[in-house]
Amino acid sequence: MTWRHVSHTADVGIEVQAATREELFTGAAEALTALLVEPGTSVEGEQVEVPVSLPAGDDASLLRDWLAEVLVAFELDGVVGRDFSVALGPDGLRGTIRGERFEPGRHSLGMEVKAVTYHGLEVGRTADGWRAAVLLDV
Amino acid sequence: MSTRGQVRWERVDDVSWRIPRDEARGMRVDGLVFVDAALARDVEGDPALEQVANVATLPGIRGASLAMPDIHWGYGFPIGGVAATDPARGGVVSPGGVGYDINCGVRLLRTDIRLDDARPHLRDLMDALFARIAAGVGQSGPFHFDDQELTDVLAGGVQYLRKRGLATDDDVEQCEAHGRIDGARPELVGELARRRGADQCGTVGSGNHFIEVQVVDRVEDPWAARALGLEDGYLTVLIHSGSRGLGYQVCDDYLKRFQGVPERYGIDLPDKQLACAPITSREGQEYLGAMRAAANFGFANRQLLTVQVRATFEAVFDKPWPRLGLELVYDVAHNIAKEEEHEVEGERAGLLVHRKGATRAFPAGHPELPARYAEVGQPVFVPGDMGRASWVLVGGPRSLERSFGSTCHGAGRRLSRHAAVKAARGRDLRSELEERGVIALAHSRKGLAEEQPDAYKDVDAVVRVVHEAGLSSRVARLRPVGVVKG
């Protein structure tokens, strides 16, 4: 699985490639977290775990909603995700965000992400797996 | 995004270019972009122009789909876009025409403090502002509202804060819409939005939001400057922030809710991001009720930031703030949809004016202006980058006739955030800014790099266009001496 950040004039996008749909989702969550908190500044702080449950929907909407959960867990409860797991089934998404609590002064704040947008939102199959593109309003 | 080819546009005069109405694109009106020749070259080929054309397809749009000289690409609507829709002609409201940061805006405080007298205290002042004012991410603000109080903020904005002793009569008077938009419906602001907002009222946020201490650097219109309480060499404070997580979540919730709504009303859109509903529909009315509540939260946020700025000045200069003359000049939104009466095609009409990255700029004599600005026009603040300058303008003589009483809102980005960070590699931006006479303090090192001066267009060029177009008139240029960022 690989992800990268894509530059727009005023905003930032995420592109992910993965062998499975589940990895696509966890990779996108890693890419989002790397924007919220500067990578390499994670510390062994208070460990937290947030369960996520989303009703069934199309892949693109599910990915957007999953990332919105990662964003809100960080913004509301300071959860800096380190390890994500996702299971996708007919009932929707069951996932977990595991990580540590943000500590100002120990973590270095990245950028404020306002929202995970629907603009240019794509999830699709490729020859060797899955690919996703998401645009963030920052 | 539509792939109907590049839009065609033509020069109208020195400061405006027209995208002629193209029926094949479904345009109902022309597009009109306020740029001079140099800015036109920058914008040419940019998807933002196609977005101006796309907005021109919205049902009930009147006049033209407008864009200000700080135009750049946004979601559905361009940033710098203005669209007035007419409820009597099936006009629509579009959450994308307001944006995620509902009632993002700016307010300016003036002071009786001369820069020369303040110089020995500037470092302490900036350190104290940085220490006191929370970014709002990983850090709550000093104000906590319980459920009922938050409802009161959403319904009452700055007017509620006045009842709580957190705003003066002048703070209310000197605010767009007197700091409270009528018709707010707090019950339509969802639980998650409320949770995102509960601890964030009175926090600045990061990104391009800031609190800047400045000096009046050049007065262009001494009479207007006097009316606004501004004088060469004196300090001012510019606050740029919006409705924080609460507003972002309201937009998010309603974009989700608006999926499938245009189809239900038979509205054909060239771009899904323009999702909209008739103003008079239940969906449209509900979004507007929630948006007004978020807007009131935005006004209250900037007021609570003002409370903290005043307290910081009091501590550093050891005087109560009224003796430092730290009064609100004005507070104005630049991401909002407002119900306003305008003259269009020879008749008066009640319109919904979407301003997304555009500022209201009513001219002298407009009935909505506070008494003290009745003769001078509505103050407008245009933040530039942190190394150069910001501008104070007043509503211009032609703003009502040309732009539904609107003008620009900033310099507009030139470099992407990544390009800006790359350009900052191996440099010490804080020292560079200090050499330019600006003390810059930021919670995020990367944030400082993203917002460095080179990332922005020259605000002077943007302001020259709106001045010459008669949308707003130059009053004074403000030079930053210190900036606090999230």
Side-chain angles (χ1 to χ4, degrees):
Chain A
M1 181 269 298
T2 55
W3 54 258
R4 65 185 189 113
H5 296 141
V6 188
S7 217
H8 293 264
T9 311
D11 296 300
V12 175
I14 289 172
E15 277 181 18
V16 196
Q17 293 202 316
T20 66
R21 226 166 24 132
E22 285 76 7
E23 278 183 27
L24 195 71
F25 278 56
T26 57
E30 285 175 22
L32 172 58
T33 306
L35 287 171
L36 298 172
V37 178
E38 280 194 37
T41 62
S42 286
V43 289
E44 291 293 331
E46 183 198 341
Q47 297 299 300
V48 277
E49 193 171 307
V50 183
V52 177
S53 170
L54 296 169
D58 62 85
D59 287 341
S61 305
L62 263 184
L63 177 65
R64 195 216 76 94
D65 291 352
W66 156 248
L67 293 177
E69 294 282 341
V70 173
L71 173 61
V72 164
F74 172 71
E75 193 182 297
L76 277 184
D77 301 314
V79 179
V80 182
R82 184 192 283 280
D83 175 27
F84 303 91
S85 64
V86 164
L88 294 162
D91 299 342
L93 178 150
R94 300 269 178 283
T96 313
I97 306 166
R98 285 183 207 88
E100 71 259 353
R101 194 84 66 186
F102 183 85
E103 291 178 36
R106 295 184 73 187
H107 288 94
S108 180
L109 201 57
M111 57 173 61
E112 184 178 61
V113 174
K114 291 176 187 158
V116 185
T117 77
Y118 295 91
H119 199 112
L121 180 65
E122 282 174 36
V123 175
R125 278 188 173 281
T126 60
D128 47 2
W130 291 81
R131 180 188 171 278
V134 188
L135 197 60
L136 307 169
D137 192 352
V138 298
Chain B
M1 199 172 292
S2 148
T3 50
R4 271 167 272 190
Q6 211 169 340
V7 296
R8 203 167 51 76
W9 69 337
E10 60 198 24
R11 183 180 172 279
V12 179
D13 55 31
D14 285 349
V15 288
S16 64
W17 287 62
R18 177 168 50 230
I19 303 171
R21 181 177 161 208
D22 178 351
E23 282 188 31
R25 281 181 177 273
M27 289 172 71
R28 294 167 198 261
V29 292
D30 288 347
L32 187 65
V33 184
F34 291 95
V35 280
D36 60 14
L39 288 166
R41 271 194 300 276
D42 287 348
V43 180
E44 196 133 55
D46 192 294
L49 286 185
E50 188 169 344
Q51 294 186 324
V52 175
N54 289 344
V55 169
T57 70
L58 290 179
I61 186 166
R62 302 294 304 269
S65 165
L66 303 166
M68 296 298 144
D70 47 337
I71 179 175
H72 57 93
W73 179 90
Y75 305 100
F77 276 70
I79 313 293
V82 177
T85 51
D86 187 342
R89 296 190 176 193
V92 292
V93 56
S94 174
V98 174
Y100 280 99
D101 196 357
I102 295 167
N103 191 8
C104 186
V106 276
R107 59 164 55 192
L108 185 74
L109 310 176
R110 45 120 21 231
T111 76
D112 288 333
I113 306 167
R114 292 186 61 87
L115 172 63
D116 292 342
D117 300 330
R119 234 182 259 283
H121 309 287
L122 267 185
R123 173 76 52 186
D124 287 348
L125 176 68
M126 297 317 298
D127 285 343
L129 283 171
F130 188 64
R132 185 186 280 262
I133 290 165
V137 179
Q139 221 187 350
S140 331
F143 303 96
H144 303 276
F145 294 111
D146 67 24
D147 241 25
Q148 182 54 49
E149 291 168 329
L150 185 57
T151 299
D152 293 338
V153 169
L154 294 170
V158 183
Q159 297 187 21
Y160 166 68
L161 297 180
R162 174 172 56 183
K163 284 188 206 149
R164 293 278 304 265
L166 293 163
T168 67
D169 290 350
D170 278 350
D171 291 338
V172 169
E173 175 72 9
Q174 266 31 314
C175 220
E176 177 171 348
H178 296 106
R180 174 189 180 275
I181 299 180
D182 285 339
R185 293 173 66 185
E187 74 279 10
L188 295 174
V189 173
E191 187 51 37
L192 185 55
R194 292 175 71 104
R195 284 179 59 208
R196 282 181 82 173
D199 289 342
Q200 286 195 344
C201 207
T203 65
V204 68
S206 64
N208 59 358
H209 295 154
F210 60 78
I211 294 178
E212 198 169 271
V213 177
Q214 315 159 313
V215 59
V216 180
D217 181 48
R218 192 162 87 216
V219 169
E220 298 250 335
D221 179 342
W223 176 73
R226 221 172 3 259
L228 270 54
L230 302 176
E231 203 175 324
D232 219 352
Y234 283 79
L235 294 186
T236 56
V237 183
L238 192 67
I239 296 172
H240 178 207
S241 188
S243 52
R244 315 288 298 110
L246 183 138
Y248 312 160
Q249 191 63 41
V250 166
C251 179
D252 204 64
D253 289 345
Y254 280 85
L255 281 177
K256 206 167 191 176
R257 207 172 292 180
F258 270 43
Q259 286 183 355
V261 168
E263 292 83 348
R264 203 177 307 152
Y265 289 99
I267 299 168
D268 186 23
L269 296 171
D271 178 351
K272 267 173 70 179
Q273 303 299 312
L274 296 174
C276 56
I279 296 165
T280 53
S281 68
R282 184 176 56 83
E283 292 90 341
Q285 285 298 309
E286 287 183 354
Y287 168 70
L288 283 169
M291 182 215 69
R292 293 182 194 116
N296 289 340
F297 185 91
F299 286 130
N301 181 42
R302 292 193 290 275
Q303 177 62 31
L304 292 181
L305 288 167
T306 303
V307 168
Q308 297 173 79
V309 167
R310 283 172 174 161
T312 309
F313 270 74
E314 287 184 334
V316 172
F317 292 99
D318 200 23
K319 270 186 196 168
W321 68 260
R323 286 189 49 212
L324 297 167
L326 210 59
E327 288 151 9
L328 180 59
V329 178
Y330 202 63
D331 178 309
V332 68
H334 55 226
N335 277 3
I336 204 157
K338 296 280 291 289
E339 276 145 332
E340 294 169 2
E341 205 171 282
H342 287 276
E343 192 166 315
V344 57
E345 291 150 29
E347 58 170 25
R348 299 295 295 172
L351 304 177
L352 184 71
V353 183
H354 298 73
R355 296 191 180 94
K356 184 183 186 179
T359 313
R360 198 186 73 176
F362 284 164
H366 194 284
E368 277 198 40
L369 296 189
R372 78 160 69 167
Y373 302 134
E375 285 179 36
V376 68
Q378 179 214 303
V380 171
F381 314 114
V382 184
D385 65 75
M386 64 173 94
R388 271 177 286 198
S390 297
W391 278 93
V392 179
L393 316 172
V394 286
R398 299 192 65 194
S399 72
L400 289 177
E401 144 213 352
R402 294 192 91 169
S403 62
F404 298 106
S406 312
T407 189
C408 62
H409 89 306
R413 285 193 79 89
R414 191 176 68 82
L415 295 183
S416 74
R417 291 173 197 272
H418 277 176
V421 170
K422 218 167 154 186
R425 250 175 227 151
R427 287 163 55 191
D428 183 352
L429 283 177
R430 270 185 70 166
S431 308
E432 281 180 31
L433 282 162
E434 292 222 358
E435 276 165 30
R436 294 164 86 152
V438 186
I439 302 169
L441 300 171
H443 289 280
S444 159
R445 228 176 330 120
K446 201 166 160 196
L448 191 63
E450 286 167 2
E451 296 296 319
Q452 62 171 300
D454 293 346
Y456 283 89
K457 293 179 199 165
D458 181 4
V459 69
D460 292 359
V462 169
V463 164
R464 192 180 317 121
V465 171
V466 292
H467 177 88
E468 282 169 18
L471 308 186
S472 45
S473 313
R474 285 186 292 239
V475 176
R477 192 173 186 269
L478 311 172
R479 178 167 56 79
V481 295
V483 59
V484 168
K485 297 191 64 71

